[in-house]
Each structure stands twice: as structure tokens, then as C-alpha cells.
Amino acid sequence: MPYKKIGLKCGIEIHQQLEGKKLFCECPTLIREDKADFIIRRKLRAAAGETGKTDIAALQEQKKSKNFVYQGYHETTCLVETDSEPPHAINQKALEGALQFSQLVNSSISPIIQVMRKTVVDGSNTSGFQRTALVARNGIINSSSGKVRIDNINVEEDACKIVSETAHEKVYRLDRLGIPLIEVGTAPDITTPEQCQEVAKKLGLILRSLPNVKRGLGTIRQDVNVSIKGGTRVEIKGAQDLRQIPLLVELDIKRQQELIKIKKELKDKNLPTFNIVDVTNLFNKSSSKIISDNIKNKGKVLALKLAGLTGYFGRELQPGYRFGTECSGWAKIRAGVGGIFHSNELPNYGITDKDVTEIEKLLKCNSKDSFVLVANNEERSSIALEAVYDRVKEAWQGVPKEVRKANADGTTSFLRPIPGEARMYPETDVPLIISDLSKLELPELLEDKMVRYHQEHRLSQDLASLIAKSDKMSLFEELTKSYPKIKTAFIAETLTSTLREIKRKYSLDTSNLTAENFRELFSYLNEDKIHKDIVLDVLIDMIKGTFSLDRYASLSTEDLHQKLKEIVEKNKKVPFPALMGMAMKTLAGQASGKIIAEKLRNILKGHN
């Protein structure tokens, strides 16, 4: 694809969670899955920002009129999370992490940091806003295709974790709310999908060089901004997998190109009039389960005629994603309906040819006209058709400015309009912060650490990369210093590959292993109390809580030989495999299978 010719511009936003305490209280940054101790219920409304205007995205959320339920825990949730008391002083460790990152990318750090409130009315914050503070601007990161400017570096609090959602209610958990985030936003200097991926990877490596970052799935999130000539900026949220980023960019380019084509085609067409018609009576004996169930529940079937737009709802914007899907997405988000029916996909879903003919007759449609149906209660159906009409109206403008969700297949779906500056206003409960860099120490970059591990510890490049990116990296450095006679490659493999094998092969939760477990393991190895070949068995027992050193105590060479000799003499005509099974059972954990087999063969040769 000729990216330069189509004017592709991309930017990356990265959100990295930090370890330790939450940003404005002393609660731990612990993600929990157990049953909550209590719930609170809220209703939120949009408030005007510093400019006196109300943000467009916040207003849209308010129109949904949803109830919000928050689940909390007595030991790990405090009054700050429930918005029942003001925020405490900002977490200095989190601020220090943001300052360290800012210096690593040569940005200009703000001498005075002002915490702001960012209006969020989707329920993901109990207060209706997210606290965020601009720490630095004008950084630089190098890529193989040139320099990319970093526009802003913020420290902010993470949102609640969503548990479930219905048309009327959203349930959140408070464990994630308030976890410190470093947010990094680049300028739109990225010009290819591959460069977008490269920059995201480089920023992620720098962030993970910081000493207090969280690691693991979901602790770092990437958002991608995409625009082309004739289009506009679209923000794609939730690109969890770096490998998916080029596909997300490619497919949104295609989507924007298709919308630009539609805009050109509609240039000489008139925008259809907005007129909702109740067609419920046409479906009193409908074979469509969706519609008949709705009518039984005293719902309505409403229709909207879209003159001159036949065929457009079936236009493919992305693979398997059509303009009709786009309109349905707006209806779902704004009205909470399950979807829409449009004439380009009918007859279908139990709606017959006869039904279609009757609808067209009632709406006075000709061969050039389309129509849309929604089956729900009257209020939601009306809101849904208004949303469809608004999306159709946007087609005359081309590409709408919006926030979209990254789907697993690389396509995207509508979330909300892009918020504007009206959503921000100062946080008056947190005093201004004076930046202090006098005692700031910069960490070793992850890329430099990989090179050092490869050169100093003689690890392969893959293993050096694996352990450097691992959450066991600090433990690796501790163990290599404490036990210099144990090969560093063996320590690194135990902390990475062996744990993956246990998880994959034995379906055990390796997160149950503590740093103390590993210290104990390598202490026994260092003192020759256990063999390194049975480390996997020891770790499995530690996970299960059944580890006993007595079971794994190593035998001396002489004792091992004597025990194997006794087994052979008592079973003189038994073949080697059977002898090996007896030996392993008798000497379980006291010597590795490799050593037992080797010595057993030597004894059998002597007998022959």
C-alpha cells in the first residue's frame, strides 16, 4: 500500500501499570478474582469542564441512563475508591517512575505538575472523572524509519475493571481503580503500520526498564491513532497484542478509504428525511422469534426509511464488517439494543419476503430506497433509529472522529465520539507538585540489560531477552550473585522455561511460587542437597505444598551404587526397563533419572 501517497499518519498511546500502592491512597495494586465483600450503586451525570462546556463523549454516556454497581473488598478498598473522601497525597514512587521515563526519552519535564480531572461518565470511575497529571512533553524516540516525537507523558489512575453489562446496568470491580499508570502519547509522526508496531515495542521496552512496573497480561495497553488524506483521526483502543498492530492500521486504512468513497458517491444525493414509523401491526403473526418475543413483551417494531440509499448498508468496510454493521454498532452503544435489521440483509432472521413487501408498501419505498427496523421497547427503539440516522448523516462528511475498539480479528467497532478539551478541569483536592530531579536515578534500559546478560552471563540472546523481560529479572540478579557456582544459564532457564513447562504440561499455577521458594531451591542446589535434574519435580511439589527435603535428599555416589546393586541382585532376570522403574520408585527424588540409568547400566555390565 502506498502509505506516503495516501497520507497515512499514526500515533501511539501506551498505558503502563505500576506496582506498589495506588496513586492517591495506600491500597495495594492487587487484582482480585474472589467474591466481593460489598457493593455500592451509583448514577453519574456529565459536568461542564474548565471551559464551561460539557464534553460530547460524556453527554453520550449520560443519555444511556445506566445504573452502575461497584464491587469492593474490606482489606483492599478504601474510601478514596468509593469517592467518599478526598484523594491522599500523590504516590511518590509512581511520580518518580514517570519522571525516570521522561528523562530516558529526553523530554522536557514540567517544573510544576498540576493534577487534572478528566470527565468519564461510562461508570469506569466512581467519581465520574479520572485524575491525570501532565509530567513532561517533547520527548524523542528513534525508529528505523526516523525519529518520532513524544507529545505527552502523564501519570494517571487506572479505571475500574468491568465485570458484566446489560442494557440497563454495568457492574465494575474496584480493585483496578486507582492503580498508577504512566501514559505516553506520541505525535502523528508514524507513517507505516510496521513503524507503528516498532515504536510501540520500543516504548514498551523503555517502560519495562523501570523498577516499579507491573508485568503480565493486561498490565500494558496500546491505543493506536490512524488518519489518512481525506479522513480524520480515529483512536483504536485496546491493542493488547503488538503483533496485531500492523493489521489494525491496515484495516482501518481500508475502512477510511471505503468511507471516503461513499462520501464522494453521496455528494449529489440528498440526506433522507428523519421519520420514524411504527410497523408493529405488520408483525402480529411474525415467524421472527426476535420480533415476536419483543411484541409479547409489549415492545414496538419501528422503521426508518432511508431514501436513495439502497445497497449502502451492505457495503463492506473491513473483512466481514459492513456499513450496516457500523450503523448497528452506533445503535447498540447509544440505545442498548441488540442490533438492527436493514433491508440489504432481508429476507432473513424469520422476516419473510411478504413482510419486506408490506414494509416497503407502508414506507412508500421504491427500488432505490433502504429501510431499517428496530425491535425493542418504544423509547430504546426510537433512540436506536436516531443513532442510525446520525451515523448515516455522518456518511456525507466521510470519516467520523471517534474512538473504536480493537476486535480479535483486527477489525474495529464503534465505542464513542472522540472527547475534546471540554472534559478537563483542575483537581482542587490535590496541591500543585514541584518536580524534584535532584535524587532521581535512571534505571538500566532493558535493551542494555539484554546485551549485558548475553555478554557477562554468556546467556543466549533469546534467553537473555526472556529473563530481562521476565518479572523474575530482579530475582535472577539476586540468585546469580548469591550462588556463583551455579551456572547462570541454569538459573535463567529455571525462572523462565521451566515455569512455562510446568504451566503448559502440568496445568499448575506457577504464580503460587514465591521468591522465597526459589531462594530455598537454589540454596539446596548450592549445598548439593538436591540434584539439578529434579528441579522441575521440586517446583511442582512446592506449588502443591507437598515439598519435603527428606524426600529429595541426594545420595552419595557410594550409597547410590549400593542401593542400585541391591535392586539388581534381588531381580537378576528382570529386564532393564523394569529395573529402571523399580529404581526410580525406590530412589524417588534422591537422584536424577539420567544418573540412575547411567549407573544402573554400569552395574548390569559388571554382572555380565
Side-chain angles (χ1 to χ4, degrees), residues 422-489:
R423 70 192 306 206
M424 299 286 283
Y425 59 106
E427 168 59 87
T428 53
D429 289 329
V430 179
L432 296 175
I433 301 161
I434 309 299
S435 300
D436 182 7
L437 308 179
S438 60
K439 297 179 182 178
L440 195 68
E441 294 182 8
L442 296 186
E444 180 182 23
L445 286 172
L446 217 54
E447 288 181 321
D448 296 338
K449 199 181 292 288
M450 292 176 198
V451 173
R452 179 167 64 83
Y453 286 172
H454 175 57
Q455 292 175 347
E456 288 184 12
H457 295 299
R458 298 185 180 180
L459 303 183
S460 69
Q461 289 183 337
D462 286 344
L463 186 56
S465 174
L466 198 60
I467 190 64
K469 293 177 182 177
S470 165
D471 60 354
K472 302 289 189 296
M473 177 260 294
S474 297
L475 184 60
F476 168 75
E477 298 209 350
E478 176 193 324
L479 294 171
T480 53
K481 289 175 184 174
S482 300
Y483 305 110
K485 78 174 190 180
I486 301 176
K487 287 186 177 179
T488 52

Side-chain angles (χ1 to χ4, degrees), residues 322-501:
R322 294 170 172 77
F323 185 70
T325 320
E326 185 94 333
C327 292
S328 179
W330 279 49
K332 288 177 182 178
I333 293 290
R334 196 184 294 183
V337 298
I340 64 172
F341 302 102
H342 59 79
S343 50
N344 286 122
E345 61 181 356
L346 301 178
N348 205 343
Y349 310 109
I351 298 174
T352 64
D353 274 318
K354 183 182 176 183
D355 292 331
V356 173
T357 301
E358 290 293 323
I359 294 165
E360 289 177 336
K361 184 178 177 182
L362 183 62
L363 298 179
K364 299 179 181 179
C365 293
N366 61 38
S367 60
K368 295 181 181 180
D369 301 333
S370 289
F371 65 81
V372 176
L373 303 177
V374 177
N376 210 291
N377 66 54
E378 187 169 10
E379 181 185 9
R380 289 191 179 276
S381 295
S382 296
I383 295 170
L385 289 179
E386 286 174 16
V388 170
Y389 186 76
D390 286 346
R391 182 61 191 90
V392 168
K393 190 162 46 173
E394 288 280 357
W396 265 260
Q397 306 304 315
V399 183
K401 287 184 178 180
E402 59 191 16
V403 179
R404 301 181 67 81
K405 181 183 74 173
N407 301 322
D409 60 359
T411 62
T412 57
S413 49
F414 172 75
L415 273 178
R416 57 180 177 270
I418 282 187
E421 68 278 359
R423 70 192 306 206
M424 299 286 283
Y425 59 106
E427 168 59 87
T428 53
D429 289 329
V430 179
L432 296 175
I433 301 161
I434 309 299
S435 300
D436 182 7
L437 308 179
S438 60
K439 297 179 182 178
L440 195 68
E441 294 182 8
L442 296 186
E444 180 182 23
L445 286 172
L446 217 54
E447 288 181 321
D448 296 338
K449 199 181 292 288
M450 292 176 198
V451 173
R452 179 167 64 83
Y453 286 172
H454 175 57
Q455 292 175 347
E456 288 184 12
H457 295 299
R458 298 185 180 180
L459 303 183
S460 69
Q461 289 183 337
D462 286 344
L463 186 56
S465 174
L466 198 60
I467 190 64
K469 293 177 182 177
S470 165
D471 60 354
K472 302 289 189 296
M473 177 260 294
S474 297
L475 184 60
F476 168 75
E477 298 209 350
E478 176 193 324
L479 294 171
T480 53
K481 289 175 184 174
S482 300
Y483 305 110
K485 78 174 190 180
I486 301 176
K487 287 186 177 179
T488 52
F490 178 74
I491 296 174
E493 285 168 358
T494 302
L495 296 174
T496 54
S497 308
T498 303
L499 296 186
R500 286 196 301 184
E501 182 182 354

